[in-house]
Amino acid sequence: MVADMGRALLVLANEHFRQKAIDWIRRAPVDTRVEFKGPKRTTPQNDRMWAMLTDLSLQLAWYGQQLTPEDWKLVMLDALRREKSEQVRMVPNTDGSGFVPLGTSSSDLSKDEMTDLIEIIFAFGAQNGVEWSEPKGKAA
């Protein structure tokens, strides 16, 4: 699989996959890129995040606007990036009427990053009197 690999993903879930990764690394051509990421966010974390973002959207106006849970997700991801001192990049939108933030997707967050994001959302909501509801199971 290595010579014409293109892209591949292995989760080091057991010794078999760990050995497969070692084999791929040994056989990989020079200049192959390898990326290691922590464990991906969990389904309960995802459910909690969407419940909290929904609570924000139902209970708060942001600078006079009602934001959707998806809008709130972008606001909170920006807060996570700033807390981690990551550079937030903005580019003009296609018609020049505003800006688009470039950066992290919540689907790419590790368990630890998702925990940090949920803590940021919780702190923000607590400061703004949000009453939290429980996740309803599957994420929206």
Side-chain angles (χ1 to χ4, degrees):
M1 169 96 194
V2 173
D4 63 346
M5 181 181 292
R7 289 182 181 250
L9 172 68
L10 283 176
V11 176
L12 303 178
N14 58 42
E15 190 58 29
H16 168 76
F17 289 111
R18 185 175 297 276
Q19 290 304 315
K20 187 178 231 176
I22 291 167
D23 179 55
W24 285 4
I25 289 169
R26 283 190 182 118
R27 296 186 305 140
V30 172
D31 293 330
T32 297
R33 296 175 293 159
V34 177
E35 180 179 15
F36 292 94
K37 292 183 177 184
K40 200 166 171 151
R41 68 185 185 173
T42 66
T43 299
Q45 284 179 314
N46 193 58
D47 293 345
R48 167 61 63 199
M49 177 191 73
W50 283 108
M52 295 175 86
L53 295 171
T54 299
D55 290 339
L56 293 177
S57 73
L58 293 173
Q59 297 176 43
L60 296 179
W62 190 241
Y63 290 90
Q65 296 184 55
Q66 286 303 127
L67 302 181
T68 66
E70 182 68 28
D71 294 334
W72 277 111
K73 180 181 80 167
L74 296 173
V75 170
M76 293 300 145
L77 282 170
D78 175 73
L80 176 66
R81 285 191 302 268
R82 283 184 289 106
E83 184 174 276
K84 294 174 149 232
S85 300
E86 293 179 14
Q87 180 182 357
V88 177
R89 297 173 27 222
M90 303 282 281
V91 295
N93 63 12
T94 58
D95 65 6
S97 64
F99 291 90
V100 177
L102 305 175
T104 308
S105 163
S106 65
S107 64
D108 208 28
L109 296 180
S110 69
K111 280 184 183 179
D112 290 342
E113 290 168 326
M114 190 63 145
T115 297
D116 292 344
L117 179 61
I118 289 170
E119 288 176 8
I120 288 168
I121 298 169
F122 181 77
F124 177 83
Q127 291 172 354
N128 289 280
V130 172
E131 294 181 26
W132 301 115
S133 58
E134 288 302 312
K136 302 222 180 342
K138 277 283 189 204

